[in-house]
Amino acid sequence: MLTVHHLGKSQSERIVWLCEELDISYELKHYTRDAQTMLAPPDYKALHPIGAAPVITDGDVVLAESGAVVEYIVAKYGNGRLTLRADDPDFAQFLYWFHFANGTLQASMGRLMILSRLSLADDNPILLATKARVDRAFDLVDARTREAEYLAGSAFTTADIMIGFSLTTMRYFQPYDLARCPNILRYLARIGAREGYRRAMDKGDPGMALLLT
């Protein structure tokens, strides 16, 4: 049995969402963050040496890292769904945005989150450069969602699942005003209307306000 070890308000929501979109059988195990530190509890950290979400178990397999977990589940259980073949004209876009989610957007937001907690001067050059990088990343997503319904084009794919957390729940940790990104807001409205997304969030983080605006 595929088991998704879900830490509340974490990147593991991607994996719950993926399983719901694929409509596959899986077990969902919930873990609650430490009330003081907001970090994963000891039993979650014990699942994998990296000690961070997401983590899945599947038989003898224990796997972490969002992108790897998504690719594993799609390859083993997806039957070609939510991904594009190499001969698809949008294949390059699919690859780019799949990796952009964690390689650029999530990483930049994470760095800004850390810097924002250091009480640096407003004109600190590293802080300013990081804010500018985050803005450029959001601008790029806004431009893409102006020209395409989903990141890879007309088809909803795992690239959208990967970026969804960064555009929504990550803003609990690093706030970002999406008023400057009208196309992202329209994109998130489409995401929020998906039954798979709604089921996933209801199961994974029931009662959490969804940052779709």
Side-chain angles (χ1 to χ4, degrees), residues 80-81 109 135 147 158 166 181:
R81 293 172 292 167
M109 293 181 76
D135 284 342
E147 66 187 20
T158 53
S166 304
C181 304

Side-chain angles (χ1 to χ4, degrees), residues 20-95:
E20 289 298 323
E21 290 283 353
L22 291 174
D23 194 24
I24 60 176
S25 297
Y26 70 104
E27 179 184 2
L28 181 61
K29 294 189 66 173
H30 289 85
Y31 299 77
T32 303
R33 292 178 178 273
D34 183 278
Q36 298 297 321
T37 66
M38 290 302 294
L39 299 176
D43 54 344
Y44 197 96
K45 292 180 179 180
L47 292 169
H48 188 277
I50 199 64
V55 175
I56 63 165
T57 50
D58 189 23
D60 293 332
V61 172
V62 180
L63 189 63
E65 196 62 43
S66 292
V69 172
V70 169
E71 290 197 75
Y72 173 90
I73 291 174
V74 168
K76 189 168 181 181
Y77 300 105
N79 294 319
R81 293 172 292 167
L82 303 186
T83 188
L84 299 182
R85 293 166 51 93
D87 58 359
D88 191 294
D90 289 323
F91 179 65
Q93 289 282 7
F94 164 69
L95 279 184

Side-chain angles (χ1 to χ4, degrees), residues 160-179:
D160 302 291
I161 290 176
M162 286 295 294
I163 211 167
F165 171 83
S166 304
L167 296 177
T168 58
T169 307
M170 181 61 187
R171 289 190 286 125
Y172 275 111
F173 302 94
Q174 176 52 53
Y176 195 88
D177 186 1
L178 289 181

